[in-house]
Amino acid sequence: MRKKLTWLVPLVCISAVVFVFITSAGYDEKIAQEKPIVPHQYSIRLLLDGITNEHLLEQFPYGRYLDSANIQDIQSIKNDLAVLNEKFPGDSMRNMQLISIALTDSLYAQYEKKHYFQIFDADFLTQLFQWAEKFNAYAEIEQSNTLLYGSIYNYWGSKISNHLGELSKNNSSLKYEYKFKYLKSKCDEKRFSVATKVGQVEKVAYNLLSSQWSHLLNASWNQATYMQLVVFFVFGILTIYGYLLIIKKIIKRNENQ
Amino acid sequence: MKISKLLLAAISQIMFVSAMAQYDASLVEYKSSSIAGETYSVIKMSRKGERVKVKYFAANAPDGSLVYERYQKWASNKNVIAVSSGTYMTDCNARKALPVGFCVDNGTIVNRQEKNGLDGLAVVYATGGIVASNIKDGNLSVKIDGQNATLDIRNAFDRERFLKWAQGESATVFQTHLFVYKNQLKLGTNSSPNLASRRFLAVCKDEDGYVVHYIINLPKEATIYQGSDKAFKILKDAEYVQDVVFMINLDTGCQNVFSLFDSKGNKVANKNFAGDTDITNASNLIVYYYE
């Protein structure tokens, strides 16, 4: 009875740890759907009053533009660019840059205020990626605005993949969550490669599986603390001593026979 | 008669040896030494006459060839001086790993992500040169449509212009840690505390203004700050370099590939010129060769 209990206690403890780990991982597989495009009336013209051509990039009210513009609708964005080109002709590149700043750095600043980039909000990130990736297609179709569309696409792809990398650094179990893996796969597919933190145990497992013995030995030796080396040596000596005792006993028994 | 025969034999022997030589030994020096009881190794390569060149293999080929296969195929008719793993990789498995941070390989986009915290952007030219700029300075100079343009690639629009330039010019670009820029150590003591062996690539100018490249290998484990500080001191105090243009990181993590070849093409056996990872596990490679 006592022997049974001795085995039961560690088994229950390990099961409890595994249970906590399994239940704390996110298994929700419901992916956020694309946001619908809802048309609404507004005009960028109202925001351009009093702004001079020379100081357009500095004076433009990016925050007010984002509050009123329909950034989900590409036609609406194109209309805004057309108005800018009409009002400030001669520098279409600069006008494109203005829309690019609004839909990248300014939009990011708004999300930052709402703390979206301080936590793992999978639905928000998924919908943001869905919106951003459309710009890649627009860039391929509409060559004249390829710099504008490409800049938006690459900016958000970079931001999201960097955010995922940072999150996995702070919470290594996050990379096993379904929604995280979904977003990481999307980023990787589009070549915004997410560098997730590879833990020491994972590195050891990888090197064992791929038979990287010299690297494994070198890294283990170099990274071990003095205490670990002492423990390793003591353990090694005890093991050898144990084997010696066994061999000695076998020899003695054979001699007695 | 005998003397002339001997002379002829000596000349033909010299000619044979020089024909066998992989590179001009006067342009490449290497040594293993120690500073404060710590062993390090240095490869010094002069770009005088632009015979020593750099080639970067950023990723597996679109046809599926792995980086080391690309390298071996390319190197079959090249005089290789040294080969090392390049920038950090996204995964320990070389078959699926990509270089960390923004990367373009011969005009093909490998990684679109501009990685936070990696301030160095290296551009490897088809002519065999390499330059690095500090992303934080925001003054990357390129020629777009025949016009000089200064780009700040932290800005999304400028980054897009740079990407289009790299594609158009079939350039090779990669992002990495920038440790020294214009003779200034860029890292703070509060950088990553992780211990690892370290390797650096430094591009310097000698007293005559010629560009000299150094690969400094520090086998002893150190933090990234300790390592870069040591390498900078080696350049200044042991190599007497006046002008360090930049010094960037070479990966010694999951991929720690490093080999040096002597002027006859034999692999240098000294362990201070060797990594501990097989080249088949390289995710990206920087190669120095003589042409």
Side-chain angles (χ1 to χ4, degrees):
Chain A
M1 181 66 184
R2 201 174 165 180
K3 202 175 178 184
K4 263 186 188 173
L5 270 175
T6 323
W7 281 104
L8 208 62
V9 173
L11 197 72
V12 169
C13 290
I14 292 166
S15 305
V17 172
V18 171
F19 180 76
V20 169
F21 183 75
I22 290 170
T23 49
S24 64
Y27 288 100
D28 183 6
E29 293 182 11
K30 197 168 182 293
I31 296 299
Q33 292 181 328
E34 270 187 289
K35 274 187 184 173
I37 299 165
V38 184
H40 74 256
Q41 292 294 316
Y42 94 102
S43 175
I44 194 174
R45 279 179 204 278
L46 300 170
L47 304 174
L48 299 173
D49 288 342
I51 295 178
T52 59
N53 190 23
E54 295 76 41
H55 300 107
L56 177 63
L57 289 182
E58 299 86 55
Q59 290 177 340
F60 184 76
Y62 296 100
R64 277 172 56 209
Y65 170 72
L66 289 172
D67 291 341
S68 54
N70 189 357
I71 62 166
Q72 297 293 332
D73 184 3
I74 187 63
Q75 287 308 329
S76 179
I77 293 167
K78 278 175 73 175
N79 287 342
D80 295 341
L81 187 62
V83 170
L84 281 169
N85 285 335
E86 185 193 311
K87 188 138 183 170
F88 303 104
D91 200 348
S92 59
M93 194 84 144
R94 192 267 321 263
N95 296 338
M96 268 198 278
Q97 196 174 354
L98 184 142
I99 301 285
S100 171
I101 293 169
L103 298 185
T104 56
D105 288 328
S106 303
L107 187 57
Y108 179 72
Q110 286 204 344
Y111 290 148
E112 271 278 271
K113 271 187 203 160
K114 292 173 185 167
H115 310 294
Y116 285 133
F117 277 90
Q118 283 165 20
I119 50 162
F120 178 55
D121 187 336
D123 293 346
F124 162 75
L125 293 172
T126 304
Q127 287 186 323
L128 184 60
F129 205 108
Q130 287 162 347
W131 170 74
E133 69 181 338
K134 287 184 194 168
F135 285 90
N136 191 34
Y138 304 148
E140 283 180 18
I141 296 164
E142 211 176 301
Q143 285 295 312
S144 56
N145 292 333
T146 188
L147 282 174
L148 168 63
Y149 301 146
S151 68
I152 297 165
Y153 170 63
N154 283 316
Y155 179 89
W156 288 109
S158 250
K159 273 277 182 269
I160 294 167
S161 59
N162 263 312
H163 183 52
L164 294 178
E166 289 298 317
L167 287 167
S168 79
K169 212 189 277 179
N170 301 329
N171 178 4
S172 57
S173 65
L174 195 65
K175 62 180 174 228
Y176 301 110
E177 283 203 24
Y178 178 79
K179 286 186 177 181
F180 184 92
K181 283 204 272 190
Y182 172 81
L183 272 163
K184 184 184 178 303
S185 302
K186 280 205 79 151
C187 287
D188 288 343
E189 175 202 351
K190 301 291 181 188
R191 292 191 174 271
F192 294 102
S193 297
V194 182
T196 45
K197 174 97 177 152
V198 182
Q200 293 297 335
V201 177
E202 288 163 309
K203 272 187 189 170
V204 171
Y206 172 76
N207 284 310
L208 279 173
L209 290 171
S210 56
S211 309
Q212 293 284 315
W213 305 113
S214 64
H215 182 78
L216 194 61
L217 197 71
N218 202 13
S220 308
W221 186 258
N222 287 332
Q223 286 173 20
T225 60
Y226 284 116
M227 197 57 178
Q228 285 169 325
L229 291 177
V230 168
V231 169
F232 177 78
F233 273 114
V234 169
F235 187 75
I237 288 164
L238 282 176
T239 310
I240 293 165
Y241 181 68
Y243 278 116
L244 284 174
L245 282 181
I246 292 167
I247 292 165
K248 213 172 161 185
K249 208 165 186 182
I250 290 169
I251 293 169
K252 208 172 179 183
R253 198 173 61 188
N254 287 346
E255 278 174 358
N256 288 341
Q257 280 173 354
Chain B
M1 185 67 185
K2 259 187 181 176
I3 293 169
S4 62
K5 261 188 179 175
L6 272 172
L7 257 171
L8 201 69
I11 290 166
S12 60
Q13 185 69 25
I14 289 164
M15 281 175 72
F16 176 74
V17 169
S18 56
M20 286 289 287
Q22 294 274 304
Y23 57 78
D24 179 352
S26 70
L27 296 175
V28 181
E29 292 168 33
Y30 53 90
K31 69 174 179 194
S32 185
S33 188
S34 66
I35 195 164
E38 195 180 311
T39 310
Y40 69 91
S41 57
V42 172
I43 308 172
K44 179 184 175 185
M45 294 162 286
S46 171
R47 286 266 294 152
K48 196 174 175 181
E50 300 194 346
R51 305 295 304 271
V52 172
K53 297 179 178 189
V54 191
K55 168 87 179 159
Y56 195 71
F57 295 91
N60 300 335
D63 68 2
S65 313
L66 298 175
V67 163
Y68 87 94
E69 291 169 330
R70 283 182 64 196
Y71 160 70
Q72 283 178 338
K73 194 175 169 190
W74 170 88
S76 62
N77 60 352
K78 295 284 188 299
N79 303 316
V80 175
I81 300 166
V83 57
S84 169
S85 26
T87 193
Y88 303 110
M89 61 208 279
T90 54
D91 194 286
C92 277
N93 185 348
R95 282 170 198 275
K96 59 178 186 174
L98 285 176
V100 169
F102 186 75
C103 183
V104 181
D105 190 356
N106 271 326
T108 304
I109 299 170
V110 176
N111 192 354
R112 292 172 178 272
Q113 185 205 52
E114 190 214 331
K115 175 79 179 159
N116 295 341
L118 297 183
D119 295 334
L121 190 74
V123 180
V124 183
Y125 290 96
T127 51
I130 182 171
V131 294
S133 61
N134 188 355
I135 293 174
K136 275 185 183 164
D137 285 354
N139 57 0
L140 186 72
S141 295
V142 288
K143 222 166 203 169
I144 299 175
D145 301 328
Q147 305 271 311
N148 287 325
T150 304
L151 305 175
D152 179 357
I153 69 156
R154 291 168 301 175
N155 165 313
F157 199 72
D158 274 4
R159 186 158 73 239
E160 195 60 22
R161 291 178 73 195
F162 178 70
L163 188 63
K164 291 277 180 280
W165 170 85
Q167 287 178 292
E169 294 291 318
S170 297
T172 295
V173 181
F174 66 94
Q175 206 182 338
T176 187
H177 259 138
L178 183 70
F179 296 126
V180 177
Y181 192 61
K182 294 180 181 170
N183 290 308
Q184 294 288 316
L185 197 62
K186 305 305 277 185
L187 267 186
T189 45
N190 58 346
S191 50
S192 168
N194 288 350
L195 291 171
S197 57
R198 303 284 171 191
R199 191 175 308 127
F200 305 94
L201 166 64
V203 170
C204 311
K205 277 188 181 160
D206 67 13
E207 58 276 16
D208 300 321
Y210 288 113
V211 175
V212 182
H213 291 206
Y214 286 89
I215 292 178
I216 303 146
N217 191 44
L218 305 174
K220 195 176 176 233
E221 305 262 308
T223 66
I224 210 151
Y225 173 77
Q226 290 165 341
S228 53
D229 187 45
K230 271 179 215 163
F232 192 42
K233 280 184 178 139
I234 288 167
L235 287 171
K236 289 283 181 186
D237 303 339
E239 296 295 319
Y240 308 109
V241 172
Q242 294 292 313
D243 189 5
V244 183
V245 183
F246 65 85
M247 186 171 85
I248 57 175
N249 184 66
L250 296 176
D251 193 14
T252 53
C254 280
Q255 53 166 356
N256 180 9
V257 178
F258 186 35
S259 294
L260 170 70
F261 298 88
D262 65 20
S263 61
K264 292 182 181 70
N266 302 312
K267 204 176 203 175
V268 174
N270 185 331
K271 69 178 171 63
N272 292 322
F273 293 104
D276 58 22
T277 310
D278 192 77
I279 197 161
T280 53
N281 284 290
S283 161
N284 51 72
L285 288 169
I286 189 162
V287 186
Y288 276 89
Y289 65 105
Y290 179 82
E291 199 167 66

